[in-house]
Amino acid sequence: MAKISVLMPVYNMAPYIEEAICSILTQTYQDFEFLIIDDGSMDGTLDIIRKFNDSRIRVIEHPINLGLIESLNQGIDLCTGEYIARMDGDDIALPHRLERQVTFMDIHQHCGVCGSQVRFLGIDGVTTKPLNHEEIRCWQLFHCSIVHPTVMIRKSVLENHGIRYLYYYHAEDYEIWNRLAEVTQLVNLPDVLHIYRQHPNQISSIHRYAQEIQTETIRRDQLRLLGIEPSAEEYQIHLDFCHFRIRVYEPEHYNKCLVWAHKILEGNLRRQKYDHQTLIMVLSQCFSKLRY
């Protein structure tokens, strides 16, 4: 049985799938199985996948499109490795990705989820995702803090706690990190181990509006755990914090931002959900982007 199961659901990825597959097959760490789930592609993706003659590849074919979440949950059930490494069919894993992550996970047995930084293809940009568990948890109040196709997950954590992806429309990763954070440690490595491709046909681009609705639901659920039901104005301030919007505020508006930050801190003092000093640090970073 392989140490790692690389799980890659794909749908209509013909222009990119060959490069994605090659980036996994040429990893410096080779003890893996490669589970590719073709979710009813209609653009020749499956034909490209079939050209690869490698015993580590297992192909699951869906006659019709069942959707990403269904494919992910099926894949989790089929994975046999100690670790599940997520991969997307339009991205590129850097050669040492699996080696770096499996080394970290083997040493840090308390860690259940390990992500990394990514470089955006064609754009001069690299993520600066938070590194340690408490920072990730606090930043999850505002936005998804782990890049989904970079993660390596300890399968036993999913099995022992009955965790699977839920039907949050194209925000399933944002939601599952919150549940996993309650039962295991989450980390992001500082290394760039993944190249993330942005293109018009991405699910996240096509379904942006639906994704935003689900993301708002997840944010509000997190605030509710602090005993907070934000007004429309408060939620807009929260979005400003989320997206580091740099705006010139009138003093009255600036003061409302201060009040909102204190409301979050007071809610946390009551509910003790987050490490308080880490939350203060995160809010300070958000607040530093606002000026008048």
Side-chain angles (χ1 to χ4, degrees):
M1 185 175 68
K3 179 85 167 181
I4 301 171
S5 296
V6 179
L7 174 57
M8 186 172 77
V10 297
Y11 176 65
N12 289 345
M13 289 291 171
Y16 318 111
I17 188 66
E18 183 173 357
E19 191 172 16
I21 292 173
C22 287
S23 77
I24 293 298
L25 296 181
T26 56
Q27 289 287 301
T28 57
Y29 186 91
Q30 289 284 303
D31 186 14
F32 62 84
E33 64 171 354
F34 193 2
L35 183 61
I36 305 175
I37 302 178
D38 181 77
D39 192 25
S41 294
M42 299 177 290
D43 68 343
T45 295
L46 187 56
D47 293 332
I48 298 170
I49 295 169
R50 286 174 175 156
K51 291 178 181 178
F52 286 88
N53 183 23
D54 191 301
S55 61
R56 293 169 296 181
I57 295 178
R58 297 166 57 200
V59 182
I60 307 298
E61 303 174 22
H62 292 170
I64 61 172
N65 182 252
L66 300 179
L68 177 61
I69 296 170
E70 188 75 24
S71 296
L72 284 170
N73 287 335
Q74 178 191 26
I76 290 171
D77 292 337
L78 293 172
C79 286
T80 63
E82 180 181 351
Y83 303 126
I84 298 175
R86 274 283 288 115
M87 179 65 185
D88 280 350
D90 51 356
D91 291 344
I92 302 166
L94 293 179
H96 51 286
R97 175 203 164 175
L98 297 182
E99 182 180 5
R100 292 280 180 87
Q101 289 183 302
V102 76
T103 299
F104 182 89
M105 296 285 274
D106 280 349
I107 294 171
H108 301 88
Q109 291 290 317
H110 62 285
C111 177
V113 178
C114 176
S116 77
Q117 310 305 319
V118 306
R119 185 168 76 245
F120 296 101
L121 188 65
I123 303 173
D124 185 21
V126 173
T127 59
T128 55
K129 295 294 184 181
L131 303 183
N132 68 58
H133 179 71
E134 292 301 336
E135 288 183 13
I136 290 170
R137 290 188 70 230
C138 289
W139 280 113
Q140 284 280 122
L141 258 176
F142 302 98
H143 50 69
C144 186
S145 296
I146 300 176
V147 182
H148 195 186
T150 73
V151 296
M152 183 174 285
I153 304 175
R154 198 177 298 275
K155 188 179 181 184
S156 61
V157 172
L158 300 175
E159 297 298 294
N160 292 343
H161 299 279
I163 292 177
R164 293 294 187 270
Y165 290 90
L166 300 180
Y167 284 84
Y168 282 83
Y169 200 63
H170 305 307
E172 71 288 332
D173 51 342
Y174 186 21
E175 189 279 332
I176 201 172
W177 309 145
N178 289 330
R179 281 186 291 136
L180 282 166
E182 298 298 323
V183 299
T184 191
Q185 294 283 302
L186 281 56
V187 301
N188 280 312
L189 299 180
D191 314 65
V192 174
L193 301 179
H194 193 87
I195 299 176
Y196 187 88
R197 191 189 305 270
Q198 294 181 305
H199 57 88
N201 293 328
Q202 280 177 308
I203 289 176
S204 56
S205 299
I206 296 170
H207 302 285
R208 182 69 65 190
Y209 178 70
Q211 185 183 48
E212 283 299 320
I213 291 174
Q214 293 295 343
T215 299
E216 178 174 342
T217 299
I218 295 164
R219 285 195 192 107
R220 288 183 178 274
D221 285 346
Q222 291 297 101
L223 290 169
R224 200 169 289 120
L225 291 174
L226 296 177
I228 298 173
E229 293 283 354
S231 65
E233 183 180 44
E234 287 174 329
Y235 187 72
Q236 185 57 56
I237 292 170
H238 195 72
L239 285 180
D240 288 343
F241 283 17
C242 293
H243 300 303
F244 289 139
R245 291 182 178 137
I246 301 175
R247 298 164 59 181
V248 178
Y249 288 90
E250 296 296 326
E252 182 182 357
H253 198 169
Y254 187 83
N255 288 334
K256 287 179 180 179
C257 293
L258 271 176
V259 170
W260 176 244
H262 283 291
K263 190 170 186 175
I264 291 174
L265 291 173
E266 289 167 2
N268 190 56
L269 284 173
R270 290 192 302 270
R271 299 295 178 91
Q272 298 184 4
K273 179 172 173 58
Y274 303 103
D275 177 78
H276 203 65
Q277 291 304 312
T278 305
L279 184 58
I280 290 171
M281 181 198 70
V282 166
L283 284 168
S284 296
Q285 290 182 30
C286 292
F287 207 80
S288 68
K289 304 294 181 178
L290 309 177
R291 58 187 175 83
Y292 69 92

